[in-house]
Amino acid sequence: MTKIVSRFAPSPTGFLHIGGARTALFSWLLARSQGGEFRLRIEDTDRERSTQEATDAIIDSMRWLGLEHDGEIVFQSERADRHVEVIDQLIASGHAYYCDCSKEDVDAMREKAMKEGRKPKYDGTCRDKGLTSGVVRLKAPLEGATGYKDMVKGFISVENTEMDDMILRRSDGTPTYNLAVVVDDHDMGVNRVLRGDDHVNNTPRQILIYRAMGWDVPEFGHVPMILGPDKKKLSKRHGALSVMEYEKMGYLPEAVTNYLARLGWSHGDQELFTMDEMVELFTTDGLGNSPSVFDLTKFEWVNGQYMQKADPDRLAGLLCDFLAREVGEEEAKAVTRERFALIAPLLQPRAKSVLDMLEQARPFIVDVSFLPYDEAAVQKFLTAETKPMLEEIAGRMEGLAEFTEPALEELHKGFIEDRDIKFKVIAQPLRVAITGKTQSPGLFETMVVLGKEQTLARIRRAVEL
RNA sequence: GUCCCCAUCGUCUAGCCUGGUCCAGGACGGCGGCCUUUCACGCCGUUAACAGGGGUUCAAAUCCCCUUGGGGACGCCA
């Protein structure tokens, strides 16, 4: 059995978007699950639209997602000579020919065909003219059908009369996409091509080239696309498209890959998969064949699951990075990673993203003098009735030798027993006093993380409000 | 217009290939409840779907055909 070699071949005309990322993930999974190789090729033959920034963005995104590729990255633009070499072979072997029809001629043909209810295509005028210049076209078979077994869609077949003699080499001598893809995939030893649905129509054409060259035809698979909530192709107006935007919004890469994998792939009822599990369980049988809608709500749930499981120290590192992005490196240094590592565990069950966690961490990282208060909460809970109680609690805390959760619990228990009240009576007032808000992690754990000094200062300031 | 593809709860999906165990299962969301010092988390319950029509069959979500709806492609772009 030969080793599986799959690939991802984006054109660097923009950042890596969610759809591309999913295709890359499936392709990566296909190779990794079989102990094969996963190659990366940048299809930068469109010099007008390709940019270095886009290339970098794609590579960065792949790295962030953990989709490591094998071997060197292949740049299609550097392989023009080889493409031309293959085209020459095709001409020599009679599988391709020159055509000097003008663009206007061909457009006219198409229009005519369309009018007559046929598929618009080049009519093969120059097929047997034996020309020696112009564009080079593939001499496609006139009869029969070209079919293949798609890894996700099953058997697909197209009548050869539906396909025209596609251009292999433009009049300026450069190779076209379909030719370049075939040559590169062949030369790279690619034997599994998993790509977007939009390439289904190209596949039979490409198979024709493989056959003309006498090369082994890889197995193809076409994954359906991702739709926006309106069921239209996912685009900018649906919000975040770029993989790196998700990074900026504080989502975890493993949540992105998990969610993306489940969008179009399944393994029974399982929802959560680590990368290792996916590698272990992935098969193309699990791939669905209908387009799916990207559901941000479910994605956030997945991310929340990973936030809960994440190592606090890792989260702390991310929190530092995000804070630095917000207030600058210098300012951010005021809050240490160790500090965040203490806060993170309290916030893990309630944060949807790193950004969200940073927001919730706010009361923990500012000094009492900068603590913002929720006005309505202050009005409601810091009353003439509760303030004296808070004052007394602060007084009792003063004498606490050990500022720990059990000790604090003991202290409050004593307080409510002495006063013969329910804990409820002072819980929210205390919360508002020390966090400024009505929602926060557990009171005692919050106090411990805040520390005795800060906790006391906050309660005392609250009494003055 | 022509060709190709697709079609199960609002959404992601299991089941379909190898008809019966499916008056269709799971997850997100919604709703209700429990837990609880708040919010979350967690737990329990509930809501909601086989696009329509014909066949085939003792039996169809599952097989066949048609219709409808959606998408994609039809470039000297990739």
Side-chain angles (χ1 to χ4, degrees):
Chain A
M1 201 179 107
T2 48
K3 189 178 196 178
I4 281 185
V5 180
S6 72
R7 50 68 159 183
F8 179 54
S11 54
T13 53
F15 41 67
L16 180 64
H17 55 89
I18 287 296
R22 189 183 60 155
T23 305
L25 171 65
F26 286 150
S27 202
W28 179 86
L29 247 16
L30 176 62
R32 291 284 175 267
S33 65
Q34 306 277 326
E37 269 180 42
F38 173 68
R39 306 292 311 272
L40 179 60
R41 180 174 70 237
I42 303 294
E43 311 218 314
D44 56 349
T45 47
D46 185 342
R47 308 302 285 257
E48 298 289 296
R49 299 194 299 152
S50 299
T51 65
Q52 185 60 45
E53 298 77 68
T55 302
D56 294 342
I58 290 168
I59 294 170
D60 286 347
S61 300
M62 299 272 290
R63 184 177 304 132
W64 184 67
L65 292 172
L67 305 179
E68 299 292 327
H69 60 266
D70 298 306
E72 293 293 305
I73 297 176
V74 172
F75 289 88
Q76 197 161 57
S77 59
E78 294 170 5
R79 296 181 38 82
D81 290 350
R82 165 91 249 245
H83 298 150
V84 168
E85 183 183 314
V86 171
I87 293 166
D88 286 340
Q89 280 180 46
L90 251 12
I91 295 171
S93 66
H95 289 288
Y97 62 91
Y98 283 102
C99 162
D100 63 359
C101 290
S102 69
K103 203 170 166 107
E104 291 70 34
D105 293 339
V106 179
D107 284 347
M109 282 174 213
R110 293 210 168 91
E111 217 166 295
K112 185 160 174 267
M114 184 96 87
K115 231 176 251 161
E116 291 169 5
R118 296 197 325 271
K119 185 161 178 140
K121 59 175 229 175
Y122 173 68
D123 68 2
T125 306
C126 301
R127 253 188 175 237
D128 301 305
K129 281 191 184 170
L131 267 22
T132 54
S133 69
V135 299
V136 176
R137 289 181 180 275
L138 181 76
K139 195 179 277 183
L142 269 11
E143 297 173 338
T146 302
Y148 71 99
K149 189 171 176 311
D150 195 284
M151 287 184 280
V152 352
K153 294 176 181 297
F155 190 74
I156 291 179
S157 175
V158 176
E159 293 297 320
N160 287 149
T161 52
E162 288 299 323
M163 293 189 270
D164 58 1
D165 288 351
M166 64 178 155
I167 292 176
L168 266 20
R169 186 163 78 197
R170 303 182 185 102
S171 43
D172 68 357
T174 58
T176 57
Y177 169 74
N178 279 119
L179 183 279
V181 168
V182 171
V183 174
D184 292 343
D185 278 336
H186 172 266
D187 289 358
M188 288 164 78
V190 172
N191 50 29
R192 293 291 186 288
V193 175
L194 206 51
R195 71 220 316 194
D197 224 348
D198 48 337
H199 287 289
V200 181
N201 297 273
N202 284 326
T203 304
R205 299 159 193 283
Q206 292 177 195
I207 289 175
L208 256 22
I209 299 176
Y210 277 98
R211 291 199 183 139
M213 286 304 291
W215 289 339
D216 285 340
V217 180
E219 279 190 43
F220 292 96
H222 295 88
V223 305
M225 26 172 235
I226 299 181
L227 274 24
D230 55 359
K231 306 238 184 184
K232 297 271 186 232
K233 190 171 181 174
L234 202 59
S235 68
K236 291 116 289 186
R237 72 171 187 289
H238 292 115
L241 247 193
S242 154
V243 167
M244 293 321 277
E245 282 179 58
Y246 284 87
E247 185 270 343
K248 288 198 189 73
M249 289 188 287
Y251 294 111
L252 268 13
E254 62 269 38
V256 174
T257 49
N258 190 148
Y259 179 73
L260 249 23
R262 277 292 288 106
L263 209 56
W265 177 79
S266 63
H267 182 262
D269 288 339
Q270 191 170 345
E271 295 288 345
L272 269 12
F273 299 85
T274 62
M275 283 294 249
D276 286 345
E277 279 178 305
M278 286 195 261
V279 166
E280 190 187 330
L281 301 170
F282 184 83
T283 62
T284 51
D285 291 346
L287 287 171
N289 44 10
S290 53
S292 29
V293 174
F294 186 93
D295 181 16
L296 190 65
T297 309
K298 181 154 184 182
F299 169 59
E300 288 194 325
W301 173 78
V302 173
N303 198 65
Q305 294 295 308
Y306 282 98
M307 289 294 291
Q308 286 192 52
K309 289 181 206 159
D311 172 24
D313 190 56
R314 171 187 171 206
L315 254 18
L318 289 170
L319 255 7
C320 287
D321 295 344
F322 276 74
L323 183 62
R325 278 184 207 174
E326 186 185 307
V327 302
E329 293 280 344
E330 283 310 304
E331 285 281 312
K333 276 184 188 158
V335 186
T336 63
R337 180 169 179 148
E338 289 70 30
R339 178 104 190 102
F340 273 131
L342 241 43
I343 301 166
L346 310 196
L347 265 20
Q348 277 180 276
R350 54 200 101 221
K352 290 199 310 278
S353 67
V354 176
L355 216 48
D356 184 26
M357 184 176 277
L358 180 60
E359 203 45 51
Q360 294 188 45
R362 225 115 240 174
F364 291 91
I365 58 177
V366 298
D367 180 74
V368 56
S369 49
F370 294 104
L371 185 70
Y373 293 92
D374 171 344
E375 267 316 310
V378 170
Q379 291 297 323
K380 182 169 180 195
F381 296 107
L382 299 182
T383 62
E385 187 188 355
T386 60
K387 281 180 177 175
M389 296 190 203
L390 296 185
E391 221 166 347
E392 190 188 332
I393 289 171
R396 292 192 184 198
M397 268 182 199
E398 199 89 58
L400 216 51
E402 296 259 300
F403 204 72
T404 62
E405 280 187 54
L408 284 165
E409 203 170 333
E410 195 58 37
L411 182 152
H412 287 83
K413 211 173 128 193
F415 177 79
I416 62 174
E417 273 168 12
D418 293 348
R419 291 261 183 158
D420 193 28
I421 54 171
K422 295 249 189 222
F423 185 53
K424 265 190 159 85
V425 179
I426 52 161
Q428 283 303 73
L430 267 171
R431 189 181 311 280
V432 174
I434 63 175
T435 68
K437 305 185 299 180
T438 53
Q439 301 164 13
S440 82
L443 239 20
F444 307 137
E445 51 185 358
T446 299
M447 290 175 180
V448 172
V449 170
L450 246 21
K452 186 174 183 175
E453 195 187 320
Q454 195 63 214
T455 301
L456 281 172
R458 290 181 183 204
I459 295 176
R460 295 216 155 106
R461 180 174 175 214
V463 172
E464 303 301 320
L465 285 174

